[in-house]
Amino acid sequence: KLTLDKNIQFYLESALEKVYNKFNPISLTAVAVDPQTMEILGLANMPDFNPNKYWETKDQRNFMNHAVASQYEPGSTFKLVTLAATVEEGMFIPDEKFQSGSIQVPGRRLHDHNISGWGKISYLDGLKRSSNVAFVKLGLEKLGQDKLRQYIDKFGFGVKTGVDIPGEVPGIVNMRYPAEFATATYGQGLTATAIQQTAAYAAVANGGKLMWPHLIKEITDPESGEVLQQFEPKVVREVVTEQTAKQVGEYLEGVVSDQEIGTGKRAYIEGYRIAGKTGTANKVVAGQKGYAEGKWVISFIGYAPLENP
């Protein structure tokens, strides 16, 4: 017996199909979970295949479950880790101002997606506008390399989640130089899987607990109907306090609710409190150094309603 909810699964598949037909991306993945238990309620990929006639599939890559078996540079959705860490450590002061645009770190100059920046803005506006400079300042200058690494590990990146789906990869977290720690604060230069990211957000949504993601609820004997094995929700570890999680959720709500500058404003739904974060990561050219022109990994992670996701 699976944890899947057939309505959510159906909805995910039809939504992805529409997007796939409209934008023709290389691939699409969506995951929906219950953050309290990390039961997977829906999981879909495009392009897909018909499991009843799998031999008719032309491209072997369509057999890959990208939610667990593909790793990506997450980009700005990863800012959750830096944000939660600085809130937990009492270093995130929403009204404090910084100079946006660009920042010099040892060996590199890093920029916001709007290269000239928005002048002197608050850290809360930096979050809403998804300013990379804000997160370099928070993660590198305030937290420091060691603490940043601790929180990245705490949130479960760089290791497998142990999800009960075959083919899972751990992602790569391997920062050595200050510039690599700087880009890690906003999710570049390291890789993660969709299931890791979902579990990290669920940890904030549920009040601070990283949970084990799973798809199998129970195994029963087909003859006798007797339940042979049950899979209960498992807490991996507490990553932040409940108070921090609640505060982070309220900051992430602004990313969606601020219709003027929030990068997640399209996810706003009248009458609901929605927390979320957008991500746009450059794609690496296979076998080469540097990033591809005009190729992107675009993502959104959110949860609702904020009071009880």
Side-chain angles (χ1 to χ4, degrees):
K1 186 179 173 191
L2 301 180
T3 57
L4 291 178
D5 174 304
K6 74 165 196 271
N7 294 326
I8 293 175
Q9 181 65 24
F10 177 77
Y11 181 80
L12 280 190
E13 288 182 20
S14 36
L16 287 194
E17 202 173 344
K18 277 187 197 140
V19 175
Y20 190 76
N21 293 336
K22 185 173 174 185
F23 296 103
N24 197 24
I26 291 173
S27 71
L28 283 167
T29 299
V31 186
V33 300
D34 176 347
Q36 312 300 336
T37 60
M38 264 314 278
E39 290 182 340
I40 296 169
L41 304 175
L43 195 163
N45 291 285
M46 285 295 292
D48 57 6
F49 64 96
N50 181 351
N52 300 308
K53 296 183 175 172
Y54 64 88
W55 54 89
E56 289 178 2
T57 304
K58 300 276 183 285
D59 192 343
Q60 294 284 313
R61 281 183 306 188
N62 297 357
F63 294 140
M64 243 176 124
N65 186 342
H66 294 299
V68 299
S70 293
Q71 49 186 330
Y72 308 92
E73 292 199 19
S76 294
T77 47
F78 198 78
K79 288 175 180 169
L80 173 85
V81 177
T82 311
L83 175 64
T86 46
V87 171
E88 177 83 356
E89 300 288 334
M91 296 169 176
F92 186 83
I93 301 148
D95 302 335
E96 191 187 340
K97 299 266 202 290
F98 72 97
Q99 181 63 44
S100 64
S102 70
I103 186 168
Q104 183 68 44
V105 298
R108 273 184 84 179
R109 192 159 195 89
L110 303 170
H111 296 272
D112 282 327
H113 56 88
N114 162 7
I115 291 179
S116 53
W118 305 272
K120 265 201 139 154
I121 58 170
S122 72
Y123 278 101
L124 188 55
D125 281 358
L127 169 67
K128 289 178 183 177
R129 292 187 184 275
S130 203
S131 158
N132 292 342
V133 174
F135 282 82
V136 173
K137 290 187 81 69
L138 289 168
L140 199 63
E141 292 180 10
K142 294 194 181 212
L143 264 185
Q145 296 183 12
D146 295 348
K147 272 257 157 70
L148 176 66
R149 176 71 211 229
Q150 275 169 21
Y151 277 94
I152 291 173
D153 293 344
K154 240 184 179 181
F155 270 98
F157 293 98
V159 294
K160 293 181 182 183
T161 63
V163 66
D164 48 5
I165 300 172
E168 188 186 14
V169 293
I172 300 165
V173 176
N174 182 20
M175 294 90 65
R176 291 187 300 269
Y177 307 108
E180 294 173 326
F181 281 93
T183 59
T185 63
Y186 55 83
Q188 294 260 201
L190 45 77
T191 65
T193 62
I195 201 74
Q196 282 175 336
Q197 292 246 89
T198 309
Y201 273 76
V204 170
N206 70 27
K209 292 176 182 61
L210 184 70
M211 306 289 292
W212 164 64
H214 62 290
L215 183 67
I216 298 171
K217 212 178 176 96
E218 57 186 38
I219 299 173
T220 49
D221 185 318
E223 299 292 312
S224 66
E226 177 199 356
V227 176
L228 303 175
Q229 224 179 334
Q230 257 180 329
F231 298 92
E232 296 297 325
K234 283 202 292 253
V235 178
V236 180
R237 70 182 77 85
E238 188 170 310
V239 287
V240 289
T241 63
E242 199 167 331
Q243 195 188 345
T244 294
K246 192 171 178 295
Q247 188 64 72
V248 170
E250 284 172 9
Y251 292 144
L252 289 174
E253 183 184 16
V255 175
V256 176
S257 64
D258 190 325
Q259 290 300 292
E260 209 174 302
I261 64 169
T263 52
K265 62 187 179 192
R266 287 189 175 178
Y268 180 75
I269 301 171
E270 191 67 51
Y272 287 96
R273 295 185 67 189
I274 297 170
K277 186 76 196 73
T278 51
T280 310
N282 307 70
K283 277 191 70 167
V284 177
V285 190
Q288 292 177 31
K289 279 199 157 159
Y291 292 105
E293 274 295 304
K295 292 189 176 200
W296 307 93
V297 177
I298 297 171
S299 58
F300 177 81
I301 311 183
Y303 53 92
L306 188 63
E307 317 79 80
N308 181 24

